């Protein structure tokens, strides 16, 4: 696998990655804007908004790192000609992956605690004290991500075939990653597998819980509120879509990692495309599944449409 050189075979992957970065940046900025706008109005930052804000910032940071690597690749800036600079970038990249993954898991855990009912025990205490638990949870995620990124970076650096640049010539981060792609793949899987299990299990439980609750409402003695049932069914379908996305994404990621990347000339760019896809699709699903964010997005496009209509010159 040779990622160096502006091969035409890599161009479709690069174009898709750039589109992903553009869409992801817009959507994450939109989420941050909505959270900040509501904070200005209410003077309080709700627990769920704290997670959304951190997740948006983390995704933006991740997108920035991907953009830097693409810029270095196209413009031959030589940012990573010094291997220590490449190691610093590698650590930041792994930190961004870990923080995005665990913040996504914390968001799933937050909805799990808020929606579910618990009789007693630890989860019942967490539900009652969720306002004070969330800041501690976010701090814990920061520390875990910092620690895990250190271990993963050391695993790559001290591997039997660490990335090196003994020629002194220009080298992009693509070549640095390709030299230690096996260690990098195992590191990213290790960083994300725990958070994925938390996210998948909490989302799966919520889907089952909401489906059972909807079934009990339909079979209730009293006549159910059809409007309430329809809104409830929408929540179930949104959760099922999220669950389906997480399952397909990780299954596809593992299949491609172990059966395609090591055998394809464009394996590096394919892996980069998959890495860049997760935050984008996740934030899109998040906006579509959140009534407040979805309504704000509709209002934004409506205002833009009205502004274009007003500013359009009369024929």
């Amino acid at each position: 696998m040779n990622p160096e050189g502006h091969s035409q075979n890599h161009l479709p992957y690069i174009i898709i990655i750039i589109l992903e970065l553009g869409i992801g940046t817009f959507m994450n900025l939109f989420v941050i804007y909505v959270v900040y706008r509501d904070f200005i109005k209410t003077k309080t930052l709700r627990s769920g908004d704290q997670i959304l804000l951190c997740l948006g910032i983390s995704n933006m940071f991740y997108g920035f790192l991907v953009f830097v690597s693409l810029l270095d690749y196209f413009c031959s800036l030589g940012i990573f000609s010094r291997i220590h600079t490449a190691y610093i970038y590698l650590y930041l990249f792994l930190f961004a992956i870990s923080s995005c993954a665990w913040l996504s898991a914390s968001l799933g855990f937050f909805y799990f605690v808020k929606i579910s009912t618990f009789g007693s025990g630890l989860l019942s205490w967490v539900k009652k004290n969720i306002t004070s638990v969330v800041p501690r949870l976010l701090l814990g995620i920061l520390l875990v991500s910092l620690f895990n990124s250190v271990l993963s970076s050391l695993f790559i650096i001290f591997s039997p075939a660490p990335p090196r640049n003994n020629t002194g010539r220009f080298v992009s981060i693509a070549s640095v990653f390709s030299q230690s792609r096996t260690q990098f793949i195992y590191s990213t899987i290790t960083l994300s597998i725990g958070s994925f299990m938390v996210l998948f299990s909490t989302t799966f439980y919520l889907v089952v819980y909401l489906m059972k609750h909807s079934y009990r409402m339909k079979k209730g003695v009293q006549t159910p509120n059809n409007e309430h049932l329809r809104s409830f069914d929408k929540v179930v379908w949104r959760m099922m879509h999220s669950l389906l996305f997480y399952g397909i994404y990780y299954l596809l990621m593992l299949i491609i990692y172990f059966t395609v990347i090591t055998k394809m000339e464009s394996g590096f760019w394919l892996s980069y495309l998959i890495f860049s896809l997760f935050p984008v699709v996740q934030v899109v699903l998040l906006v579509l599944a959140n009534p407040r964010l979805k309504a704000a997005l509709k209002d934004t496009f409506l205002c833009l449409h009205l502004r274009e209509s007003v500013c359009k010159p009369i024929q």
Side-chain angles (χ1 to χ4, degrees):
M1 182 172 62
N2 179 21
E4 296 299 335
H6 302 283
S7 173
Q8 293 295 326
N9 296 330
H10 301 157
L11 189 59
Y13 294 104
I14 297 171
I15 292 175
I16 295 175
I17 292 172
I18 292 175
L19 289 175
E20 289 176 353
L21 289 177
I23 296 172
T25 300
F26 170 77
M27 296 300 292
N28 283 296
L29 282 175
F30 174 76
V31 172
I32 295 173
Y33 161 73
V34 173
V35 172
Y36 177 75
R37 183 195 63 182
D38 292 348
F39 170 72
I40 294 298
K41 290 180 179 179
T42 61
K43 304 301 180 182
T44 57
L45 191 61
R46 292 176 292 185
S47 300
D49 286 346
Q50 294 176 24
I51 302 177
L52 287 176
L53 183 62
C54 291
L55 183 59
I57 294 174
S58 181
N59 285 337
M60 290 285 292
F61 179 64
Y62 176 86
F64 171 76
L65 292 176
V66 175
F67 174 76
V68 168
S69 65
L70 291 177
L71 187 65
D72 175 71
Y73 175 78
F74 279 110
C75 300
S76 301
L77 300 178
I79 299 175
F80 307 103
S81 296
R82 294 181 177 273
I83 197 62
H84 296 293
T85 307
Y87 286 152
I88 294 174
Y89 177 90
L90 173 66
Y91 171 77
L92 293 176
F93 195 76
L94 292 172
F95 170 76
I97 292 175
S98 179
S99 61
C100 288
W102 279 108
L103 284 170
S104 302
S106 68
L107 190 63
F109 178 76
F110 173 78
Y111 287 129
F112 163 74
V113 171
K114 291 288 289 184
I115 296 175
S116 305
T117 55
F118 311 101
S120 60
L122 178 61
L123 291 177
S124 177
W125 179 87
V126 171
K127 185 179 180 69
K128 294 177 181 177
N129 299 274
I130 192 67
T131 303
S132 59
V133 168
V134 167
R136 300 174 187 175
L137 178 64
L138 295 176
L139 177 60
I141 289 173
L142 176 63
L143 297 177
V144 168
S145 298
L146 289 171
F147 180 73
N148 288 342
S149 303
V150 169
L151 293 182
S152 299
S153 300
L154 292 177
F155 172 71
I156 296 176
I157 293 173
F158 294 104
S159 61
R164 299 187 184 280
N165 179 26
N166 298 323
T167 62
R169 64 180 179 84
F170 162 75
V171 61
S172 72
I173 195 63
S175 63
V176 174
F177 279 165
S178 66
Q179 292 177 46
S180 57
R181 59 185 181 273
T182 302
Q183 292 83 3
F184 181 70
I185 289 171
Y186 283 126
S187 296
T188 52
I189 291 176
T190 302
L191 285 175
S192 59
I193 190 65
S195 57
F196 167 71
M197 294 303 297
V198 173
L199 183 61
F200 189 86
S201 59
T202 53
T203 306
F204 179 79
Y205 176 87
L206 282 178
V207 170
V208 175
Y209 176 84
L210 291 174
M211 290 181 67
K212 287 183 177 180
H213 188 61
S214 178
Y215 178 79
R216 287 195 298 266
M217 290 174 61
K218 294 177 180 178
K219 296 297 181 179
V221 178
Q222 298 179 352
T223 304
N225 188 323
N226 291 331
E227 186 65 27
H228 184 59
L229 276 178
R230 280 196 294 268
S231 63
F232 213 87
D233 288 339
K234 289 181 181 179
V235 174
V236 175
W237 279 107
R238 289 166 185 165
M239 297 297 295
M240 289 182 67
H241 291 159
S242 299
L243 182 65
L244 187 64
F245 163 69
Y246 294 135
I248 291 177
Y249 177 85
Y250 273 89
L251 180 62
L252 183 65
M253 183 179 69
L254 291 176
I255 292 175
I256 290 178
Y257 275 170
F258 291 110
T259 63
V260 178
I261 286 179
T262 57
K263 300 178 181 180
M264 285 185 60
E265 178 69 20
S266 301
F268 169 79
W269 294 108
L270 181 61
S271 64
Y272 232 42
L273 188 151
I274 296 173
F275 276 128
S276 304
L277 179 65
F278 180 81
V280 177
V281 180
Q282 183 198 44
V283 72
V284 171
L285 286 176
L286 182 63
V287 171
L288 295 179
N290 190 308
R292 178 168 60 104
L293 295 175
K294 187 177 181 180
L297 185 63
K298 288 182 178 179
D299 292 340
T300 301
F301 281 109
L302 180 60
C303 291
L304 291 175
H305 177 70
L306 291 176
R307 185 174 300 177
E308 290 179 358
S309 300
V310 171
C311 297
K312 186 177 180 181
I314 300 176
Q315 300 294 335

